Amino acid sequence: MTTTGSSRTAPARRPHRTTAAPDSGSPAPPAPAGRAPLKGRLAVLAVTLGIFTIVTTEILPIGLLTRIGADFGVSDGTAGLMMTLPGFLAACAAPTVTVATARFDRRLMLCGLVALLALANFTAAAAPVYWLVLLSRVLVGVVIGGFWSIGVGLAERLVPAASAGRATAVIFSAVPLGSVIGVPAGTFLGDLAGWRTACAAVGGLAVGVWVLTALVLPPLPAVRATSPALLRATLRGGHTRFALLMTFLVVLAHFGAYTYVTPFLERTTHLTTAATVTLFLLVYGVAGVVGNFAGGAVVARRPRTVFGTAAALLALATLLLPVLGREPVGALALLVVWGVAYGAVPVASQTWFAKAAPGAPEAASVLFTASFQATLSLGALAGGMVVDRTSPAVVMVLGGATAVLVALVAWLHFAKRPAWPVG
């Protein structure tokens, strides 16, 4: 999941009690003060690499969309189902897997999910027909929903308390790094050796992550069971519902447009080589890392400013792309703005969920994952329907219009409501 940011916003870092969402009743596990520092760091690395591989797998089709579609003789919109299916399945899997496995050892769950991710990538690489590719993306969706909901809050159980914040930042850094390193590298490999080779390579990476996870993660028995009642209680909060609304709108705006950025660059900007497209996506990813850490540095103090600014910049970039993006220089400059803007979105959205339910961190993580992934899929699906009937430029305009709505709603809401309650 193209979804979170810095340690300042991790929902599992500092749970507090709140009337909006009651605590599960189980005490937090003691910090593993006696755990060897090296083994703790390796465990954090395993979780980080797991998220990196998931993010790379999830959004790799964006860079290979036209190649996969051409290979199977399907339209860009139909090829966009590779982005739609994982999101919808992840939205369902986040609460389902978390609740159904509430008493399972978290180490075994992560190992099983990474193994399933490897199977999904190998299935896509070997698929003789397009429906098998889509089946592999169903498996990816299950992995996203389960791994994210379980894995992102484990830092405090892997290292001593004094290092938990830094470890959480390392885990969340896998999200922008998946865009910066994983997707451009996969796209480049796809250009050289074919998209099937790229999928197989990511599957091989997942196997390596599985081995590392099995070797270095300690037993992690469940200590905070997330129940349906806790999820319902979390949803009753007004701030939680507003976080859901804002996440829905901004992710719809982004993925409705970004899923089809490669067709736009090829047909509107007229980039003639796959290497140039890969370079542009790499620049976008680097800008996303900058936006992620810049937003994370201030979002705890100014969540409304970060979210509103990100939405406004996203709207600016996508609305201007059909005009200024016809030339490579203009397209590249706007992709930088877009990357910085969207890089701050997951960290801002997660902060809102965490602040809305500080006493139920895993429940907040489940709701964030489910809402984010469901809207990602809806945006990709809506964009695909538009691009098949019009053009990638029209998709950009519609995404920009939705982002304008996000900025207006955020401004109107916070003009009338006080800031979040503290602690």
Side-chain angles (χ1 to χ4, degrees):
M1 201 181 84
T2 52
T3 63
T4 46
S6 75
S7 62
R8 290 178 173 83
T9 62
R13 184 183 173 191
R14 283 187 175 179
H16 300 281
R17 290 192 176 273
T18 179
T19 56
D23 192 80
S24 61
S26 299
R35 185 167 170 76
L38 177 58
K39 200 163 187 179
R41 292 185 187 125
L42 288 175
V44 170
L45 176 64
V47 177
T48 304
L49 288 175
I51 294 177
F52 173 85
T53 309
I54 289 171
V55 171
T56 300
T57 301
E58 182 179 16
I59 62 177
L60 182 61
I62 291 177
L64 302 173
L65 192 75
T66 55
R67 296 162 187 76
I68 297 175
D71 200 10
F72 289 106
V74 300
S75 68
D76 289 341
T78 302
L81 290 174
M82 291 183 290
M83 291 294 295
T84 301
L85 281 179
F88 279 132
L89 268 295
C92 297
T96 303
V97 173
T98 305
V99 171
T101 64
R103 303 295 180 184
F104 288 21
D105 187 294
R106 286 3 219 162
R107 173 179 175 269
L108 296 179
M109 285 300 303
L110 294 186
C111 286
L113 290 166
V114 174
L116 189 61
L117 183 67
L119 175 63
N121 278 289
F122 290 138
T123 299
V129 290
Y130 185 58
W131 70 264
L132 273 177
V133 176
L134 295 183
L135 177 61
S136 76
R137 303 299 288 175
V138 170
L139 300 181
V140 171
V142 175
V143 173
I144 295 168
F147 198 104
W148 263 110
S149 298
I150 293 170
V152 295
L154 289 180
E156 63 181 7
R157 301 184 63 185
L158 301 177
V159 297
S163 304
R166 184 180 304 169
T168 302
V170 171
I171 289 174
F172 286 150
S173 71
V175 179
L177 288 177
S179 297
V180 172
I181 299 174
V183 174
T187 304
F188 179 71
L189 182 58
D191 295 337
L192 288 180
W195 65 268
R196 295 180 185 275
T197 302
C199 291
V202 180
L205 176 61
V207 171
V209 172
W210 179 84
V211 172
L212 181 63
T213 302
L215 289 176
V216 303
L217 250 67
L220 296 167
V223 294
R224 294 185 185 127
T226 299
S227 65
L230 181 59
L231 291 175
R232 288 194 297 269
T234 306
L235 274 172
R236 293 192 188 107
H239 282 305
T240 300
R241 293 179 180 179
F242 186 72
L244 286 169
L245 173 62
M246 294 300 293
T247 299
F248 170 81
L249 289 174
V250 76
V251 176
L252 181 69
H254 172 72
F255 278 101
Y258 185 65
T259 301
Y260 305 97
V261 71
T262 296
F264 178 89
L265 293 174
E266 292 176 347
R267 299 173 192 171
T268 304
T269 311
H270 301 296
L271 299 184
T272 55
T273 65
T276 307
V277 174
T278 301
L279 176 62
F280 275 46
L281 294 179
L282 176 62
V283 171
Y284 166 89
V286 172
V289 173
V290 173
N292 178 79
F293 286 104
V298 298
V299 72
R301 302 186 306 275
R302 300 176 180 271
R304 68 187 71 180
T305 301
V306 172
F307 211 109
T309 302
L313 290 176
L314 197 157
L316 178 69
T318 50
L319 287 173
L320 289 180
L321 263 173
V323 180
L324 302 180
R326 297 182 179 278
E327 297 295 330
V329 173
L332 186 61
L334 290 173
L335 282 177
V336 170
V337 175
W338 192 350
V340 171
Y342 184 71
V345 166
V347 68
S349 180
Q350 184 192 340
T351 296
W352 284 9
F353 277 98
K355 286 179 175 289
E362 190 170 84
S365 180
V366 168
L367 292 176
F368 169 76
T369 302
S371 62
F372 202 98
Q373 293 296 329
T375 314
L376 182 158
S377 295
L378 183 60
L381 179 62
M385 295 173 64
V386 173
V387 79
D388 279 349
R389 290 165 175 77
T390 56
S391 70
V394 174
V395 173
M396 299 298 156
V397 172
L398 292 178
T402 307
V404 169
L405 181 61
V406 175
L408 290 176
V409 170
W411 182 80
L412 290 173
H413 174 81
F414 285 117
K416 297 178 180 179
R417 283 178 172 261
W420 309 98
V422 178

